[in-house]
Amino acid sequence: MAKLASTFRKQGRLEEAEKLQLEVMETRKTKLKADHPSMLSSMAKLASTFRKQGRLEEAEKLQLEVIETRKTKLKADHPSMLSSMAKLASTFRKQGRLEEAEKLQLEVIETRKTKLKADHPSTLSSIAKLASTADHPSTLTSMNNLAVTFGNQGRWEEAEELKLEVMETSKTKLGANHPSTLTSMANLTLTFQNQGRWEETHKTKLGADYPSTLTNINNLAFT
């Protein structure tokens, strides 16, 4: 059930994903302790679904609960602990709470630096997400390059998340029809295509409103 819920989430079928995730979580509650890793994983995945639905307060509440519970069992530099903190920082960022997001992301970066090499993908990901509070073109390029690296590694969810951030920032700062924005859309559609998510490829932002957009995207994707 958990795997099917994950498939639904990747397909954008968020209501179906949420229903299954809730069912999995409730079932696990009857069998497992509140601090069991599988229980916390269920909560984290449900929080991710809430975040994708724009239900940021509900996502934050669950993420905080996961972090506080993990603190009682795990060290501050445990990968699961750092992942939870990074996801909460992302929620703060989407809520416009940039100072809180920056503070938390810096903590993740510094901790990862002490455990991993500076050029480790997890460290670079943390740095890119911190930088996403900025909108300088070079920052967006760095984020996109990292997203491409994630794609090459088959880490599609991380690639998609970064590419979405690049696209939304480009749209806000440069306009929907700016070449850089269209390029970021092209990159996102390629990520969908590589996962076989054809419907989302054709529903990429603006696709329904501008018939020429998909043509532009396809052209840019191969330039």
Side-chain angles (χ1 to χ4, degrees):
M1 287 174 66
K3 288 183 179 179
L4 180 58
S6 179
T7 299
F8 284 158
R9 189 161 58 87
K10 289 177 181 177
Q11 293 174 333
R13 298 161 63 180
L14 300 180
E15 288 187 10
E16 293 169 275
E18 178 190 347
K19 184 178 179 181
L20 272 182
Q21 286 171 330
L22 281 168
E23 191 174 339
V24 170
M25 194 169 72
E26 291 304 318
T27 302
R28 284 178 171 168
K29 276 183 181 178
T30 65
K31 302 286 185 180
L32 305 173
K33 292 182 179 180
D35 59 3
H36 191 281
S38 295
M39 188 68 216
L40 295 173
S41 175
S42 295
M43 294 168 65
K45 287 175 181 176
L46 180 60
S48 179
T49 298
F50 285 158
R51 194 158 59 90
K52 285 199 171 188
Q53 291 173 315
R55 296 160 62 181
L56 300 179
E57 288 187 11
E58 292 169 273
E60 178 190 348
K61 184 179 178 181
L62 269 182
Q63 288 170 330
L64 283 168
E65 188 175 345
V66 170
I67 288 173
E68 291 305 314
T69 305
R70 281 181 168 158
K71 277 182 180 178
T72 66
K73 293 287 186 179
L74 304 175
K75 292 182 179 180
D77 60 1
H78 191 281
S80 295
M81 192 69 211
L82 295 173
S83 175
S84 296
M85 292 168 63
K87 288 174 182 175
L88 179 60
S90 181
T91 298
F92 285 159
R93 189 166 59 249
K94 286 181 179 291
Q95 290 173 317
R97 296 159 61 181
L98 300 184
E99 288 187 10
E100 292 169 274
E102 179 182 354
K103 182 180 177 181
L104 196 54
Q105 200 65 59
L106 275 171
E107 187 177 345
V108 172
I109 289 170
E110 292 307 316
T111 305
R112 280 180 169 158
K113 278 182 179 178
T114 64
K115 301 292 286 187
L116 306 170
K117 292 182 179 180
D119 59 356
H120 188 280
S122 294
T123 306
L124 292 174
S125 176
S126 299
I127 293 170
K129 287 175 181 176
L130 174 64
S132 68
T133 57
D135 52 30
H136 191 278
S138 62
T139 299
L140 297 179
T141 299
S142 297
M143 290 172 66
N144 184 68
N145 289 342
L146 180 59
V148 171
T149 299
F150 285 154
N152 291 337
Q153 294 173 333
R155 298 164 63 181
W156 298 114
E157 286 192 17
E158 292 165 283
E160 178 185 338
E161 185 177 352
L162 275 179
K163 288 181 181 182
L164 277 168
E165 287 187 27
V166 171
M167 185 183 74
E168 292 300 333
T169 304
S170 293
K171 283 176 63 180
T172 300
K173 298 295 179 180
L174 303 175
N177 294 312
H178 190 279
S180 294
T181 304
L182 292 174
T183 299
S184 67
M185 292 166 65
N187 292 331
L188 181 60
T189 61
L190 287 175
T191 299
F192 288 150
Q193 288 171 13
N194 285 325
Q195 296 175 83
R197 293 160 62 183
W198 305 110
E199 185 175 347
E200 286 170 277
T201 297
H202 292 284
K203 286 184 178 179
T204 303
K205 302 292 184 183
L206 297 179
D209 298 326
Y210 294 87
S212 63
T213 299
L214 285 175
T215 300
N216 292 335
I217 288 173
N218 285 331
N219 290 337
L220 284 164
F222 296 102
T223 58

